[in-house]
Amino acid sequence: ATEGSTSLTVTVSDKPTNLSLKSLGTGLDHVHLSWTGSSPRYEVFYSLSGSDDIQSAGVTTDTTYSVTSGLTQGQTYEFFVVSYSIDGTPVLPSVNSSIES
């Protein structure tokens, strides 16, 4: 070993994949999201399709989340999920996925 050398192991949180959206019942403006990932925390974002006005739906430690407010029935929304590292730094977003509420 070289004198004065050190070793460092870095773990990178992964990007959420396989984002799936499901409308929660007829006539409701609720959407359930699920994805695959192993990050310690995620934040779900959405916007009205074609809009640059992105809103945070909430934060979760799970790989599922239900949006139960803020959506208007009959509108199409785009969703994406951002993973966060253990220190709270945003890492990588998922791909966008859209659904009509």
Side-chain angles (χ1 to χ4, degrees):
T2 305
E3 190 175 330
S5 67
T6 59
S7 175
L8 175 66
T9 302
V10 177
T11 303
V12 176
S13 298
D14 67 330
K15 172 181 174 175
T17 58
N18 301 318
L19 179 60
S20 173
L21 306 175
K22 180 180 177 185
S23 183
L24 295 178
T26 305
L28 297 177
D29 56 353
H30 301 173
V31 174
H32 180 75
L33 296 85
S34 62
W35 59 89
T36 304
S38 62
S39 293
R41 186 171 69 108
Y42 301 93
E43 188 168 4
V44 176
F45 293 91
Y46 70 93
S47 67
L48 192 58
S49 187
S51 171
D52 291 332
D53 185 22
I54 298 171
Q55 303 292 319
S56 173
V59 175
T60 183
T61 57
D62 295 324
T63 55
T64 62
Y65 190 83
S66 293
V67 179
T68 58
S69 64
L71 306 178
T72 302
Q73 185 180 349
Q75 297 292 321
T76 300
Y77 292 89
E78 294 182 6
F79 290 86
F80 67 94
V81 178
V82 172
S83 61
Y84 287 84
S85 65
I86 196 80
D87 68 359
T89 304
V91 180
L92 297 167
S94 68
V95 296
N96 289 10
S97 190
S98 61
I99 191 170
E100 184 176 322
S101 66

